[in-house]
Structure formats: structure tokens, C-alpha cells
Amino acid sequence: MEIAPSSSRFKLNDQFKLLEFRDKYVVTPVVDSPHERGFSVNRRDGNIKPLDEDASSGNPTKVSTIYGVGGTIRLLAGTYLLVITSREKAGSFLGFPIFRVTAMKFLPCNEALRFATAQEKKDETYFRTLLQALEATPGLYFSYETDITLNLQRRCKLAEGWNRKPIWKQADPRFVWNWRLLEELIECKLDGFILPLLQGSYQVAELKLKNSPAVISLISRRCTRRLGTRMWRRGANLEGDTANFVETEQIVEINGFKFSVLQVRGSIPLLWEQIVDLSYKPQLKINKHEETPKVVQHHFHDLCQRYGDVIAVDLTDQHGAEGELSKAYATEMEKLQTVRYVSFDFHQVCGTTNFDNLGVLYEQIGDAFEKQGYFLVDADENILEEQKGVIRSNCIDCLDRTNVTQSYMAQKILNLQLQRIGVFDSTDCVSLFEDDYTKFRTIWAEQGDEISLQYAGTYALKGDLVRYGKQTMAGAIKDGISAMSRYYLNNFQDGVRQDALDLISGRYTVGTNSPSQLQPIGAQPSFLPVASALLIGGVTVTSFSIHQAGRNTQQYLATALWAGVTAGVVAMIKANGRHLCSRPRLCHLI
């Protein structure tokens, strides 16, 4: 395939001036362009207009530099304009610079708010809280010069000239985080300002394998069809879209060759939930639904259409609540003749330290995995190999066990790729080269952390297995802290985060229902702080009283009293656990 010269590619401006006037915002390129003058946004009603010659004249109240426009969103009292205020270079993707968003801001165009009713003002305040949460979204990446949502194999098989289209037209909407926010800019034909944002991860490392310089890139793309947080988006919807669905591509550039291999992860594609209730492991519930077989069928049909043959690797426990879910998954998979399903109890086989025991899994699927192959092009962009299928991995969260497993499979395929072009002989493997192997494991561990932050709010657990191949004391402490942080975030923060994601993904449409008319969530009940204080105080005083109980009868009575208070508070919290947690207000679970 002939790659078009860089001069003919569509390229966005990389810096803009933001001029703030009393009645409008004006965005113009820092470098004057005869084709892209800029646009204005009315601060009263949010209407967008391309600039004419005099539109930016006058004295703005403030002038600043921004690095991109993320789109607009209309709320009850007006529009908010999303702008990128800070960025950092993350690396290069196939020779094109990639940037990470480090700060962004929603600018209000809602002067009509003063005419709103009291209820509308209250609702708008909640929506603005959600926008503030979105401003802190981690793991957003973009490029001014190329689309980063398409994997290498798809890029190389597109029709010649595709890269001369505006970047938003090149992109795969599944992986564009701000797709819904771009609609008004698209309607106004502001192609030079439309910047698709990818949520996921981008990691890169330079290796020197047997004196052959190589660049290995790891890019993960989060699907937006079922965006959500760890406990509020589980399983699949009725269309077969799953929570935490991520496509991960490992690209190796060496001696003029480019290799690519894809893996995907996603929640178990059944209708199931795990509603937080203050317990450490909330009850897992499988929703019996007549559409379940169609949900599973839709999900895997879509995967097969996009990736070819699919091997579904289920890493969940084979006992307890996870075992029941895994059994239900296996039952549905028996009905699909076109997909191979493999159950592998990661905790049973690998425990917390035996990373190499993943070889047991590889013995089961290695031949089929190698048969799926990888994508390979030479220095002249001639296609030498194509990937014919994909491994779909899952555990319960599709984070920790999944990332360990995917990194193991990626290491195996890297060895085969380097043997294919003669850099390695049949006895070589990347693990023999300590410095390069450390870099390889590090980018996989950091990718796992970034994906986990977006879904669970914390770093990945079992990161040591990826970084070092074993659990360390420091890693065990870090995992413990992350586990407690997940508990807190899932129970007391993620309701608001889920609402923010439902708002930006278009799952909730502003104006359909007032947040106050939907499921009551928001702040926790007023008795929670009192209950928490009584619980902590009760446990403390009971412990002290037991220690002192041998001195007199009064101490026995005090011990019994405080033990009773503590038990009562525990029972009250347990009975009202779901009501004490932060829950989404805007949308139902499915």
C-alpha cells in the first residue's frame, strides 16, 4: 500500500487563541490560515458561528492559549464549550506526535440561567458538578496529524486518500470519548477544529534487541458504548455492548518492519450486576432475561465481524459467586459454535505469586493463538502477514488478572515476531535480555494502571506480577491501599462519576427528566456520619471495657452496653447499606 506524502495529509492546528468577550467566546488559530479563520460561541445561548472578518475585533476581557476544542454540550440553561488548556507529549504513533490531556475546562455559555426556574437552577447546579468531574477525566489522548483510534491493520487496508479526510471522519466512533460533544462543530463544518479524544493508554519504550534498535508501542482504546465505573457498569446491555471493553494493540517497529497484534478485554457479556451496599464484596446477581442468548450472540457476532476468529478466555474463579457467573457464561457459550470458550481459574492456578503458571493456559490455547497470527508490513508498506483472530480476556473487573494474562500473551507473540524476521533464533526470548525485558514489563504495568484508574479509580492490583513476575512486599502494601481506595470510591464517589459518564456519552439526555425526579442519590443520608461515629466509638469503648472488665461489675455492664450499641449500629448499616452509598441519579443500570 502506498502511503500518501505527509504534505497531503489532513492536519489540525496545534495551538489556538481563546478570546473572551462579554457576549461571546472566539477561537482562532495562532497561525493564520486562509481556510480556517475560527468560530465564535454566543455566551447567552451557545450558538456557534464561523468567523467573518470583523467577528474577532474589539477588546476581549481575556486572551489565553488553548490546545484544542473538545466540543460542546447543551444543558438546561445553555451550552458549555470544552477546551484543552494543558497537554504533554506522550510519544509518537507511527511517526506522528501523540499528546495527553493534562487539563481541560468547560466554559459556560449560559447567561440565560438567570431566567430559569428554581428547580432548573438546582438541576443545572448538579449538571455543572458532573462537568467538573469530567474535567478530571484521566487517560485522554489525541494527535493533530493522524487518527489514533484505528489499529495498524485497519489503517493499512483503507482506501488510498483516507488520510486526506478530516481527522474526525477517519476515526472509529467506538473509541472517540467526546463523540457526542462534536455534533455541533460537525454541523457547522468546522473540520479544522474538531479534535477526537481517545480514552485509554499510550506507552512507548525503546529497546535494543541483539543490537537491533526497536520501538515498542502499547496503545489501548476504551470503547464508549457502555462507559461506566467499576460497580455501576457490569456485564452487557441488550445490544451486546460490554462494560470496560478495551482494544489493546502492541506495535513493534524494527529494521524497517512494523508488527501489530491486538487483544481485547470486556466484562462477561451477560446481564448481571453487583450493587454496592457497604460490604467489601457486594452480592453478585445474574439477571434472568429472555434476551440473554441474543445479547451473547450479538456481542460475539460483532467481535467476529471486526477481528475474525475469537478465543474467549474466562479468568474468573470456579467457585462461589464468581463460579456461578462463570457457569452461566459457559452455558451460553456452549450455544455458540463459532467461538472457542476457555475457562481458566487464575487464582487457583497462579495464586498471587506464580506468574509463570500462565504457561498452563498457553498449553491450552497457544496453538490457536499462534494460528491467529499478527499483522506485519515491510519498509515498503507491503503486507506480509495479517492477524486473523483475537483473544478476548475477562475476569470480574477485566483489570488485574486480565492485564497479567494479556502481558503474558503479548510476550509470547513478541518472541515469535522477532524470530520471524531473524532477530531472534528459535531459542531466544525477550526475557533473556534484562534491560529490554524490564522496559517491556513496565509499559504493560503502566498501561494496566491507567486502564484501572479509568474504571475503578485506583491503580491495578497484581501490578508486581507484570513488572517483576512475582509479588513483592511493597507491591502487596500498594495492592492493599488500592483495594481500600476502591472500596471507598465505589461506595461513596462513583454514583456522581457514573452520572457524568452517562451525560457525556449521550445515555442521558438533558431535559428528559429532572435529576431530582429520578433515583434519589446525591449526598449520603444525614445519619451516616452519626452511625459511623457510633460504630467507631462503640468498637473503641467496647475494646477498652473488655480490657478493664476484670476490675468490677460496672465494667461488665459498660462492656455489654457498648457491645450492644455497636451491634445495633452494625445491623442498621447492614440493613440500609444500599441507601447509604452514592448511587447514580440519571439512568437505570441496563
Side-chain angles (χ1 to χ4, degrees), residues 1 160 232 247 265 289 375 389 417 443 473 496 524 545:
M1 172 185 169
E160 185 176 350
W232 293 112
E247 175 191 276
R265 69 179 76 189
H289 198 291
F375 184 72
Q417 291 169 341
I443 63 173
M473 179 60 70
V496 171
Q524 297 131 25
S545 298

Side-chain angles (χ1 to χ4, degrees), residues 102 126 166 190 213 262 374 391 465 469 531 543 578:
T102 52
Y126 182 66
L190 294 168
L262 298 170
Y374 46 79
I391 286 185
L465 291 182
S543 301
R578 289 197 174 191

Side-chain angles (χ1 to χ4, degrees), residues 324-540:
E324 292 299 313
L325 181 60
S326 179
K327 187 183 300 182
Y329 185 21
T331 298
E332 293 299 330
M333 293 303 293
E334 289 176 359
K335 304 172 186 177
L336 293 181
Q337 301 300 315
T338 57
V339 178
R340 181 181 175 188
Y341 170 81
V342 178
S343 177
F344 180 79
D345 190 330
F346 184 99
H347 285 148
Q348 177 69 30
V349 179
C350 299
T352 60
T353 58
N354 299 315
F355 177 69
D356 289 337
N357 283 3
L358 279 169
V360 176
L361 172 63
Y362 199 80
E363 288 177 3
Q364 297 180 52
I365 65 172
D367 289 343
F369 176 53
E370 293 175 17
K371 187 177 179 181
Q372 286 179 345
Y374 46 79
F375 184 72
L376 170 63
V377 293
D378 64 16
D380 297 321
E381 300 297 334
N382 296 309
I383 297 175
L384 305 181
E385 304 278 358
E386 292 188 41
Q387 185 170 348
K388 306 176 188 67
V390 73
I391 286 185
R392 181 205 189 277
S393 303
N394 73 266
C395 46
I396 285 295
D397 298 328
C398 304
L399 295 175
D400 314 316
R401 287 170 280 182
T402 296
N403 204 61
V404 173
T405 303
Q406 286 193 341
S407 67
Y408 184 89
M409 305 304 289
Q411 176 185 331
K412 289 290 187 180
I413 208 70
L414 175 61
N415 293 333
L416 294 175
Q417 291 169 341
L418 296 176
Q419 291 170 12
R420 167 70 169 77
I421 58 173
V423 173
F424 280 0
D425 59 36
S426 60
T427 61
D428 285 331
C429 58
V430 68
S431 60
L432 297 177
F433 304 89
E434 184 176 353
D435 290 344
D436 291 328
Y437 191 37
T438 297
K439 292 177 182 179
F440 172 83
R441 292 187 298 190
T442 297
I443 63 173
W444 268 98
E446 292 181 351
Q447 180 256 183
D449 281 341
E450 201 159 13
I451 295 300
S452 181
L453 277 169
Q454 295 157 24
Y455 187 54
T458 71
Y459 294 120
L461 308 184
K462 298 181 176 64
D464 276 5
L465 291 182
V466 180
R467 291 179 190 273
Y468 312 116
K470 62 182 180 180
Q471 182 83 68
T472 65
M473 179 60 70
I477 294 172
K478 180 183 174 183
D479 284 356
I481 294 172
S482 292
M484 294 307 298
S485 296
R486 283 185 185 181
Y487 173 83
Y488 174 78
L489 293 170
N490 296 164
N491 282 278
F492 303 118
Q493 297 290 324
D494 281 354
V496 171
R497 256 205 329 146
Q498 185 60 56
D499 277 347
L501 294 172
D502 286 337
L503 181 65
I504 197 172
S505 65
R507 193 164 184 268
Y508 172 79
T509 302
V510 174
T512 52
N513 287 294
S514 165
S516 60
Q517 296 173 338
L518 299 171
Q519 305 173 41
I521 302 174
Q524 297 131 25
S526 58
F527 65 87
L528 178 59
V530 177
S532 301
L534 285 172
L535 178 61
I536 295 171
V539 170
T540 302

Side-chain angles (χ1 to χ4, degrees), residues 9 48 96 120 207 249 274 291 346 378 398 404 515 579:
R9 288 180 179 271
I48 299 174
F96 301 101
E120 287 173 337
L207 311 181
E249 181 178 21
Q274 196 173 14
E291 295 293 314
F346 184 99
D378 64 16
C398 304
V404 173
H579 303 291

